[in-house]
Amino acid sequence: MHSTDLRRGLERREARLAWWLVTPAVGTILLVALFPLAWTLWESVHLHDLRMPWLGRPFVGAGNYAEALGDPRFWSALGHTGFFTGISVTIELGLGLVLALAMNRATRGRTLIRAAVLVPWAIPTVVSALLWRFMFDDQAGIVNVVLGTIGLTHEAIVWFIRPDLAWVPVIVSDVWKTTPFVALLLLAGLQNIDAGLYEAARIDGASTWQQFRHVTLPLLKPALLVALVFRTLDSFRVFDLIYVLTGGGPGTSTEPIALYTFNSLLQNLRFGYGSALSVITFGVSFVLAATYLRLLGRDLTEAKS
Amino acid sequence: MLAASCGQAPPSGATVVTFPGSMLGGEGAVLRAQLQRFMREHPNIRVVQRDTPDAADQRHQLYVQWLNAEASEPDILQLDAIWTPEFAAAGWILPLERFNPDTNAFFPVTIEANRWQRRLFAIPWFADVGMLYWRTDLMPRAPTSLGELEQEAARAKARGLRFGLVWSGARYEGLVTVFLEYLGAYGGQILEGGKVVVSSPAGLQALTTMQDEIYRSGIVPSSVLTWHEEETRFAFQNGDAAFMRNWPYPYPIMGDGAVSRVAGRFAVAPMPAASNGAPTAALGGAQLAINARSENPAAAWAVVDYLTRPEQMLERARVTGQFPTRRALYDDPALAKSLSVPVAQAREIIEHAVPRPVTPVYTELSEILQVQLHRVLTRQIDPARGLARAAAEMQALLNRAGLGPGTPLAQH
Amino acid sequence: MRGRKWTGADVVIAVLLLGSAFPFYWAIVSSLTPEARLFQKPSLLPTSLVLDHYRTLFAERGFWVPIRNSLIVAGTTTVFCVVVGAFCAYALARLRFRGKAPLLALILTVSMFPQIAIISPLYLVLRSLRLINTYPGLILPYLTFATPLTVWLLVGFFRQLPVELEEAAMVDGAGRLRTFWEIVIPVALPGLAATAILTFLYCWNEFLFALSFTLGPERQTVPVAIALFRGRYQVPWGQILAAAIVATAPVAALVLLFQRRIVQGLTAGAVKG
C-alpha cells in the first residue's frame, strides 16, 4: 500500500514536471500556429477586402468557398499543384531509390558523397531556383547550349514563355534539390536491413533482382512511405521555387495553389477570399497527411509482425 | 542611389521626408536637382530618395504593399493617373484641402481625375496625352474627322506606304486608352455614375470601327495586336505609317534626324471625332500624393508644392519634354522653347483630354475590358457580344464592390 | 587500391557528384565573369575572371544588410527554440504523462502545415502591433515552424541516449531536472548542436514569411533580397549569382563541418519516429 502511494506520488510529480517543461514550447505553438489557424477560419467566412474598407467585414458564410469552387483559376492552381506533386515525387522516389542503393554499396568517398547530398538540400530554395533560372535562360543559359551542341535542338528554346515547357526547369530544379535528401532517408532504411537476410536469400539461389524484390523492397517500405509523406506534403505547399523560377507564369500556367493564395492575399488584398483558399489548402494537405499516416501506421505494424 | 530611409540621424530639428521615384536618366537628374534646391531653401527639411521600379505595375504593387502595411514611409507618392481613386478610397492618401492648393491654376481635367468623393487627393505633376501623329509630307492638314483620317490612311497605303495607321493594340492598359479615344469620337463613355455604359451604340460603333480598320479597310495592320508603344513608334519612325496614335514621348526622338526617317515631316493633333463625339485624348501622367500615415505631412506638402511650381514644371519640360499641368505656362514663351511639341497643339490636345473612369476598382475593370476588346479585335467574338460581356462583368464587379448605380460612392 | 571495373553503383555515384556540383561550379564561374560576356554564348571553361560583381554587391547594393538581418532573425529564433524545445523534448522523450501521444501528434501536424494557411491572421496581427518590417515581426512567425522542428529533432536525439546514465543519476538521488541539466545536456551536446544548426538553416532559408512581412531592404533577409534584385535594364545575373554564392557559402560550410550529425538527426527523427 505504502509503496503504491509513493509510486503514484512520484508519477504525479513526474507528470507535473513534464507539463511544466512542455508548456513553453506547446504554448508557443498554440499561440503562433493554432490560434492564427483558427483566425484564418474565421476570416474565411467573412468578406474582408483591404482595398475597400467601406464594405466593412460582413459575414458571408460559405460565400468565399462557393466563389473558390466556381473559380477556374483556383481549379487550375490545384491542378498545377497536383501535377507538380505527382511528377516530382515519383521522379524523386525513383531516382532516390537508385541513388540510395548505389550509396549503400559505396565504400570510399563517403564524405564527398554526403556533401554532394547535403549541400543542395541545405541551400535556400530561392538560391537553387535562381541557379536553374540562370541555366535555363534562353540567352545566357548553359542548358540551351548543351542541347544545341548534342544536336537535340536547332535554336534556343525560350523555356519560360511556353506554358508546357516552363514546367521543365521547375521539375528539374526540384528534383536536383531534393532527390539527394530522399536518397538519404532511403539509405538509412537500407542500412537497417539485416545483411543476414541477403545472405540467406543468396544461399537459396535468388538473383540480384529477386533479392531486391523480396528482401529489399518489403523491408524498405516504411522508409519509402516516410519519404513519400514528407515529399508529398512538401511539394503540395510549393511556393519559393515557383515564385522565383517562373512567378507562376507564363500568365498563370505554372501557378500552384500556395502562390494563388499569396496573390489573393497580398497582391489583391482579398483577405476573406484568400483565407478561404488557405483553409482549403490546409484541408487538402491534412487529408493527404491523415491518409498517408493511416497507411504508414498500418504498414509499420504489418512490417513489425 | 539606394538611400536607406531609416537609421540615418538627420541634423537636429530636421524632418526627413522620403520620396520614391525614378532615378533614371533625365527624369532622375532633374528631380535630384530640384530636390537639392528645395533642401537649400528649406534647411530644416531633408528629402531622402528611394529607388522604385520604373514599370508601372511593379511600382503599383510596391505602393500597395507599403500602404496596406500602414507604413509611415514613404511620405510622398508618385501616382499614375489611374491610381488616385483607388488609393483615396482605401484611405491610404491624404485629402489635400487643408493645404489650400491652387486648383484653378491647373487644367480642370487633371484636377477632376484626382478627386474622389469631391475631395482632392493628389496634385497633377505632369500630363501625358494620347495624340495623333500625322505625316505633313503626305497631307496638307490634320484630318478633322475620323472618316477623313481613314480616307487619308487608305490613300497613303494605295500610294505604297506599308501601313495607314498604327496604334498599340496588345492586351494591356494601352489598348483601353486607344479605345477610349475612339469611344470619345462617337460620344460614348465607359462609366456613368455607377453604371457601365460601354456597350451603348457609341461603344459598338467605336469598337466596330477599330475592327474594320484592321480587317475591312486594312489601314491598320493586324500585328498591332501584339504591339506596345515602342513597336508602334518604330513603325512610324521608320516612315512606314501615315498616322500613329501614341503618347508625347516619341516626339523628340522622332525629331532627331540621326535615328528617325520622318524628322521634320510630322506633326500632332488630337484624335479626331466621328459622329456625335468630340476629339478625344486619353489622359495619363503622374501626380503627387501624401501618405495618409506620414509623420510629416506638412513637410511632405512643402516638397509637393515646390515640385509643382511653375519654375520646376518649366525646368522639367525642358529636360524631359513632359507636359506641365499648369494652364498659364502655355502662354509663357519659355515653355515654347522647352517643349518639342508646338505649345498651341499641346494645349489643344490637353484641353480635349478625357480621364479613364475615376473609380477605385479601375484596374480590375480595365482587365475585364482589355480581355474582351482584344478578343473582338482578334476576331474571337463579335463586337456586340464582346462589349455586352465586358459590360456585364464590369457591372457585376462594381456591384460587388458596393460601387454600382445608386450607391453613395458611385457619385464621384 | 587495385584498379577495378566501374560498377553500376560507381556510375550512379559519379553522376550524383557531377550533377550536384555542376550548378555550383557554373554559378561560381558565372559570378566571376564580366557582365558583358555573361549574355554571350556561354562556355564551360572560363576565359576571364573578375571580382566586379562581388564588389558591386557589397559596395553598391549593401548586401551586408540582408546578411545582418538573416543572422539576427535566424539566430534569435534558433536560440529560443533550442532552449524551449530542449525542455519540451526531454519531457516527451523520458517522462511519463498522459497526453504524450496527442502532443507528439500535434507537433508533427503543425510541422506539416502549409505556412500559407496562417499568413492572413499573422499579417493582420503584426500590422496592428506595428511589427511589419521589424525583427520581432519576423521572429514571431518563425517560431511557428521552428519550434515543432526543434522539438521533433531533439526528441529523436534524446531517445537515442542510453537510459542507464540517467537512471544511475536518479538512483544516486538526483531529481529529474538536475539529471537533465547535469547529465543529459552534456551528453546530448552534439545532438543539440546539430538541432541548432538545422533550425538555423531552416530559418536562414525561409522565404514566404520574410517576403510577406518585410517591406524594404532594411529588414529583408537574404533569400528575399536576392529574389527581389532588380536591374536597370536587364536582369543583373552577375550580381545575383554572386549573392547566391555568398548566401550559400556559410550554409555549405556549416553543413560540411557537421554532416554526420546532421544526417543522424534527420534520419533518426524521420525513420525511427
Side-chain angles (χ1 to χ4, degrees):
Chain A
M1 198 68 146
H2 183 67
S3 60
T4 351
D5 279 341
L6 204 66
R7 208 183 343 118
R8 231 178 275 142
L10 275 171
E11 277 172 11
R12 244 179 290 140
R13 264 224 329 253
E14 187 168 297
R16 223 175 331 150
L17 175 65
W19 280 104
W20 273 111
L21 292 179
V22 154
T23 302
V26 174
T28 311
I29 294 177
L30 282 172
L31 191 66
V32 223
L34 291 177
F35 171 61
L37 190 64
W39 187 336
T40 302
L41 208 61
W42 184 84
E43 279 273 318
S44 72
V45 290
H46 290 78
L47 178 87
H48 192 191
D49 192 321
L50 292 175
R51 258 201 262 245
M52 305 196 211
W54 64 87
L55 289 177
R57 218 193 268 198
F59 177 77
V60 289
N64 289 323
Y65 292 95
E67 185 183 340
L69 292 180
D71 181 3
R73 194 168 160 189
F74 165 73
W75 288 109
S76 301
L78 219 48
H80 298 148
T81 313
F83 173 75
F84 171 74
T85 305
I87 296 203
S88 61
V89 172
T90 310
I91 297 180
E92 284 156 19
L93 278 185
L95 278 183
L97 185 57
V98 170
L99 258 177
L101 290 169
M103 293 200 296
N104 204 19
R105 296 277 189 86
T107 41
R108 36 190 188 146
R110 276 267 163 86
T111 319
L112 207 57
I113 295 176
R114 231 179 280 135
V117 163
L118 284 180
V119 177
W121 168 80
I123 62 174
T125 312
V126 169
V127 167
S128 150
L130 283 169
L131 293 184
W132 285 100
R133 180 84 178 68
F134 180 64
M135 290 196 281
F136 272 91
D137 193 71
D138 50 298
Q139 288 177 343
I142 190 91
V143 168
N144 276 336
V145 170
V146 168
L147 286 179
T149 318
I150 60 180
L152 272 179
T153 58
H154 302 292
E155 42 173 54
I157 305 179
V158 187
W159 298 91
F160 297 102
I161 62 167
R162 299 195 29 191
D164 48 344
L165 286 185
W167 281 111
V168 172
V170 171
I171 296 188
V172 167
S173 175
D174 195 57
V175 166
W176 177 81
K177 189 170 194 300
T178 52
T179 304
F181 177 65
V182 172
L184 250 180
L185 286 181
L186 297 180
L187 181 64
L190 279 176
Q191 288 170 336
N192 272 339
I193 300 178
D194 190 356
L197 291 169
Y198 288 111
E199 210 30 58
R202 214 169 39 80
I203 293 174
D204 279 348
S207 69
T208 327
W209 173 247
Q210 280 170 323
Q211 285 177 41
F212 178 72
R213 262 208 71 206
H214 296 287
V215 180
T216 316
L217 268 187
L219 290 176
L220 199 54
K221 241 188 172 168
L224 272 170
L225 278 171
V226 170
L228 183 66
V229 174
F230 278 131
R231 281 310 311 152
T232 308
L233 290 176
D234 255 351
S235 295
F236 191 76
R237 51 185 177 176
V238 65
F239 177 83
D240 310 11
L241 177 64
I242 302 204
Y243 183 93
V244 172
L245 204 48
T246 63
T252 57
S253 49
T254 56
E255 189 180 58
I257 190 69
L259 185 55
Y260 182 39
T261 309
F262 177 82
N263 284 335
S264 302
L265 284 172
L266 290 175
Q267 225 180 44
N268 301 335
L269 304 187
R270 301 187 60 202
F271 269 54
Y273 185 62
S275 297
L277 294 178
S278 302
V279 170
I280 297 178
T281 308
F282 178 74
V284 176
S285 57
F286 191 78
V287 167
L288 275 176
T291 320
Y292 276 136
L293 284 177
R294 187 160 307 168
L295 283 173
L296 190 69
R298 198 157 14 107
D299 265 343
L300 271 181
T301 46
E302 276 176 14
K304 283 205 179 103
S305 62
Chain B
M1 224 230 298
L2 203 84
S5 60
C6 55
Q8 285 184 324
S12 54
T15 349
V16 179
V17 165
T18 33
F19 186 102
S22 167
M23 312 291 235
L24 267 193
E27 281 201 60
V30 70
L31 185 62
R32 264 194 298 276
Q34 291 180 350
L35 288 176
Q36 295 286 5
R37 273 203 319 266
F38 172 83
M39 286 195 276
R40 273 200 296 273
E41 290 178 27
H42 297 80
N44 59 331
I45 303 182
R46 248 193 60 191
V47 185
V48 174
Q49 280 187 281
R50 226 185 194 184
D51 202 4
T52 48
D54 294 313
D57 6 311
Q58 283 181 25
R59 192 158 35 105
H60 179 257
Q61 196 43 44
L62 207 54
Y63 280 179
V64 168
Q65 193 186 7
W66 289 339
L67 294 169
N68 187 45
E70 298 179 359
S72 60
E73 282 169 355
D75 299 274
I76 303 175
L77 302 159
Q78 181 184 341
L79 305 181
D80 245 26
I82 48 183
W83 303 347
T84 312
E86 177 190 346
F87 288 13
W92 290 339
I93 50 182
L94 279 184
L96 300 174
E97 301 88 26
R98 69 173 86 166
F99 301 116
N100 282 319
D102 182 14
T103 51
N104 289 321
F106 298 89
F107 285 103
V109 66
T110 59
I111 291 288
E112 285 316 302
N114 285 310
R115 279 198 197 280
W116 175 246
Q117 302 289 284
R118 293 184 223 297
R119 308 177 75 180
L120 184 69
F121 281 91
I123 300 286
W125 195 16
F126 54 86
D128 251 350
V129 279
M131 35 204 222
L132 179 71
Y133 290 74
W134 56 282
R135 290 276 296 274
T136 51
D137 56 340
L138 295 177
M139 56 204 91
R141 55 179 171 73
T144 50
S145 74
L146 201 51
E148 201 182 317
L149 195 164
E150 294 182 337
Q151 275 173 9
E152 287 289 348
R155 206 171 297 153
K157 265 207 86 175
R159 278 193 293 202
L161 220 55
R162 257 180 95 187
F163 314 123
L165 161 69
V166 291
W167 33 259
S168 1
R171 191 193 80 78
Y172 77 127
E173 178 63 22
L175 175 57
V176 175
T177 58
V178 174
F179 174 69
L180 196 67
E181 288 160 5
Y182 279 86
L183 189 58
Y186 286 97
Q189 271 183 305
I190 297 182
L191 204 61
E192 203 173 342
K195 192 160 178 326
V196 178
V197 293
V198 73
S199 53
S200 60
L204 190 55
Q205 279 174 303
L207 192 50
T208 313
T209 305
M210 288 173 78
Q211 199 190 39
D212 286 346
E213 282 177 357
I214 303 178
Y215 300 106
R216 205 170 278 184
S217 53
I219 53 177
V220 175
S222 59
S223 23
V224 300
L225 296 173
T226 59
W227 288 1
H228 295 78
E229 283 85 1
E230 283 289 85
E231 291 92 340
T232 317
R233 168 174 75 87
F234 288 142
F236 190 80
Q237 186 173 303
N238 292 334
D240 289 334
F243 293 101
M244 166 175 79
R245 182 272 174 201
N246 211 326
W247 305 97
Y249 87 94
Y251 202 107
I253 307 176
M254 297 195 304
D256 182 1
V259 298
S260 160
R261 291 213 200 126
V262 297
R265 294 189 286 152
F266 67 93
V268 292
M271 282 291 281
S275 50
N276 304 324
T280 311
L283 179 69
Q287 7 280 315
L288 295 173
I290 301 181
N291 185 346
R293 299 210 183 241
S294 162
E295 286 165 9
N296 312 299
W301 170 253
V303 179
V304 170
D305 181 56
Y306 185 80
L307 289 175
T308 51
R309 290 223 189 110
E311 312 80 58
Q312 272 68 256
M313 285 198 179
L314 267 180
E315 186 185 8
R316 200 184 179 93
R318 195 175 58 245
V319 174
T320 66
Q322 287 165 328
F323 293 171
T325 43
R326 283 180 181 272
R327 273 191 294 193
L329 283 179
Y330 288 78
D331 296 321
D332 191 332
L335 186 64
K337 280 195 293 230
S338 309
L339 278 187
S340 42
V341 179
V343 171
Q345 286 171 17
R347 187 199 344 233
E348 190 200 352
I349 299 176
I350 297 181
E351 276 166 358
H352 283 107
V354 161
R356 276 153 286 177
V358 183
T359 167
V361 292
Y362 175 72
T363 329
E364 286 97 321
L365 288 181
S366 172
E367 264 291 316
I368 298 171
L369 189 56
Q370 286 170 33
V371 168
Q372 298 303 334
L373 287 179
H374 204 253
R375 287 183 73 205
V376 169
L377 292 174
T378 52
R379 285 203 288 193
Q380 294 175 46
I381 192 174
D382 67 86
R385 279 221 341 259
L387 280 179
R389 194 172 290 187
E393 269 188 63
M394 288 162 73
Q395 191 67 64
L397 178 71
L398 282 171
N399 295 341
R400 261 200 323 266
L403 296 166
T407 55
L409 289 177
Q411 319 313 320
H412 146 71
Chain C
M1 290 285 282
R2 287 191 309 264
R4 60 177 175 83
K5 264 191 346 205
W6 276 53
T7 63
D10 287 327
V11 171
V12 172
I13 299 288
V15 169
L16 165 72
L17 292 175
L18 270 177
S20 249
F22 181 74
F24 292 111
Y25 165 77
W26 187 240
I28 294 177
V29 164
S30 304
S31 71
L32 296 169
T33 309
E35 187 81 30
R37 265 207 52 83
L38 265 182
F39 285 86
Q40 292 169 4
K41 211 160 143 77
S43 61
L44 275 178
L45 287 166
T47 44
S48 57
L49 296 175
V50 292
L51 279 177
D52 290 348
H53 301 304
Y54 289 92
R55 229 176 288 139
T56 328
L57 191 63
F58 288 100
E60 283 179 31
R61 279 201 192 258
F63 199 58
W64 298 112
V65 177
I67 294 180
R68 175 202 71 192
N69 295 336
S70 276
L71 282 174
I72 293 179
V73 172
T76 316
T77 310
T78 304
V79 166
F80 177 87
C81 286
V82 170
V83 168
V84 164
F87 286 118
C88 182
Y90 184 66
L92 285 170
R94 290 293 192 238
L95 302 181
R96 282 158 305 179
F97 57 102
R98 246 185 294 179
K100 199 196 268 205
L103 259 180
L104 273 168
L106 173 75
I107 292 176
L108 184 61
T109 317
V110 172
S111 70
M112 296 205 210
F113 257 31
Q115 285 167 322
I116 192 81
I118 51 173
I119 291 267
S120 54
L122 279 181
Y123 183 87
L124 293 173
V125 167
L126 291 175
R127 186 176 76 161
S128 58
L129 295 175
R130 303 188 69 83
L131 288 179
I132 302 253
N133 213 35
T134 63
Y135 288 130
L138 268 188
I139 295 173
L140 280 172
Y142 275 24
L143 298 178
T144 338
F145 60 82
T147 314
L149 172 74
T150 316
V151 172
W152 186 249
L153 289 170
L154 283 173
V155 167
F157 274 115
F158 285 151
R159 279 205 183 136
Q160 283 177 4
L161 297 175
V163 200
E164 297 79 42
L165 279 170
E166 298 160 64
E167 284 179 350
M170 285 195 295
V171 159
D172 278 348
R176 271 292 185 184
L177 222 43
R178 257 189 76 193
T179 316
F180 177 60
W181 189 247
E182 292 179 6
I183 309 285
V184 177
I185 294 278
V187 174
L189 265 180
L192 284 169
T195 305
I197 292 174
L198 283 168
T199 308
F200 185 85
L201 276 182
Y202 265 71
C203 293
W204 180 272
N205 296 348
E206 203 283 331
F207 183 66
L208 177 59
F209 283 170
L211 182 67
S212 311
F213 302 138
T214 58
L215 294 176
E218 321 83 44
R219 288 290 177 265
Q220 278 168 352
T221 55
V222 168
V224 177
I226 303 183
L228 296 184
F229 262 28
R230 273 184 208 103
R232 211 116 271 181
Y233 304 108
Q234 52 194 17
V235 184
W237 278 118
Q239 285 176 36
I240 292 179
L241 293 169
I245 298 299
V246 168
T248 307
V251 168
L254 266 180
V255 159
L256 290 175
L257 281 173
F258 291 91
Q259 40 172 296
R260 201 166 284 156
R261 288 283 164 202
I262 292 178
V263 172
Q264 222 183 343
L266 290 172
T267 51
V271 179
K272 295 214 175 121

